Amino acid sequence: MSDDVETEAQPLRHGYTTGACATATAKAAVTMLITQNKVEQAEIWLPAGFFHTFELIECEMTQDMAQCATIKDGGDDPDATHKAKIICTVTWSGGEGIELDGGIGVGRVTKPGLPVPVGEAAINPVPRRMITSAVQEVLNEYEVDRGVRVVISVPDGEEIAKKTLNSRLGILGGISILGTRGTVVPFSTSAYKASIVQAIQVAKATGCKHIVLTTGGSSEKYAMKLLPELTEEAFVQMGDFVGFSLKHAKRLGMERVSLIGMMGKFSKVAQGVMMVHSKSAPVDLNFLAGVAVQAGGDDALRDAILGANTASHASDLAIEAGLETYFQLLCKYASEHAVSHVDGGMVVETVLVTMKGDVLGRVEIVG
């Protein structure tokens, strides 16, 4: 067996969410505040169904305040928050119960449509329950009946947030404290899918009936120039998840969807492929050559496309041949497949653009 195969066979190491890290630091900090003893480890129960012990750093306390931190471990699927420092500061409050808030580097919600109300710290519902439950358990254990204020901070959170979709979602000033299971599953797509759904929910909450789905930053930039009348919330980066995004767009009441992207991924949508990652479906040059013939291309163009290196190369060959109908056909097929995928009920427009943002083709189908 080769080294590559052996490496591939190794089990992938799970990581832990920002929510789990925040819970562990909160449990330790409130324990230190009560006992006035340093705590360097905290064991918490994760929604995934098991206990995990977190190592703590920078533990300090006074009579009225305790603080500690942990370093987030993303496992073998590191994301933007991998190695971020998650800090919890706990103080006695003048009121009753547990007051939870975000400090430096934890974003604030400024738009409706998210699971956290506008104005509150971007600490999602499951982490909120995890943190407050862990803190309450410690208060109960030591029979303490005093109000506490729990503040979660991420020193580099504002910088990290630039690598996320937070600003688009209306979460400003830092990252979100996330996680429904407490663990990060290696190479999972669940986090990205969740961000797509949240983005469509924000679009709906801000009154959008027409959204634009793009595969990334470049195509989104071109889409914004093509459709300047739409608000920022209408633009959603779907990545490779075409079918998934279309279905949630319909579920959330969108009446019109514009798919705007380039040949590499959208040539696959024209074939009816709704998950366009390169590993999921390679470019089918036979299909692209066949469409060229349908569009009126000659045998020389068909053969040239069959020998092309990439879908973009096939596009260049069609442009050189002056075959504009080629791109209209591809857009027509893509829109038809998209409408069929969601069983109709909305208008789907497909726009093919070059890597410089020039429009190659544009067709809409009413579902």
Side-chain angles (χ1 to χ4, degrees), residues 54-75:
F54 289 80
E55 300 295 325
L56 304 170
I57 60 172
E58 299 177 3
C59 303
E60 58 181 86
M61 67 212 151
T62 66
Q63 289 294 322
D64 301 311
M65 181 280 295
Q67 178 174 291
C68 64
T70 192
I71 302 298
K72 181 181 180 287
D73 178 4

Side-chain angles (χ1 to χ4, degrees), residues 203-273:
K204 178 182 179 180
T206 53
C208 298
K209 291 292 184 182
H210 175 192
I211 63 167
V212 181
L213 299 176
T214 62
T215 54
S218 295
S219 52
E220 183 179 80
K221 180 177 69 175
Y222 302 143
M224 286 179 166
K225 289 182 180 177
L226 280 172
L227 297 165
E229 70 276 14
L230 297 181
T231 61
E232 182 186 55
E233 292 83 7
F235 296 86
V236 178
Q237 291 187 27
M238 64 178 171
D240 297 320
F241 304 104
V242 181
F244 174 87
S245 303
L246 285 166
K247 286 190 172 180
H248 281 281
K250 181 181 177 182
R251 178 181 68 81
L252 290 166
M254 295 300 125
E255 296 171 359
R256 181 184 182 89
V257 172
S258 295
L259 298 170
I260 300 181
M262 302 172 201
M263 272 291 286
K265 294 184 186 294
F266 274 33
S267 67
K268 300 175 187 179
V269 181
Q271 291 174 241
V273 175

Side-chain angles (χ1 to χ4, degrees), residues 293 297-307 317 321:
V293 172
D298 58 20
D299 289 348
L301 177 59
R302 180 201 63 198
D303 292 344
I305 290 176
L306 282 172
L317 293 167

Side-chain angles (χ1 to χ4, degrees), residues 1-13 76 186-187:
M1 186 180 290
S2 71
D3 289 343
D4 289 343
V5 174
E6 285 178 1
T7 302
E8 190 68 28
Q10 295 292 323
L12 296 171
R13 191 171 58 83
D76 284 333
F187 305 115

Side-chain angles (χ1 to χ4, degrees), residues 151-196:
V151 178
I152 306 300
S153 305
V154 184
D156 296 326
E158 194 162 2
E159 194 63 31
I160 295 169
K162 294 176 183 176
K163 302 173 185 175
T164 74
L165 297 174
N166 271 18
S167 63
R168 177 64 48 79
L169 296 173
I171 299 169
L172 304 181
I175 65 167
S176 303
I177 303 300
L178 301 173
T180 56
R181 291 173 51 81
T183 58
V184 178
V185 180
F187 305 115
S188 84
T189 55
S190 58
Y192 196 89
K193 283 184 173 180
S195 74
I196 294 169

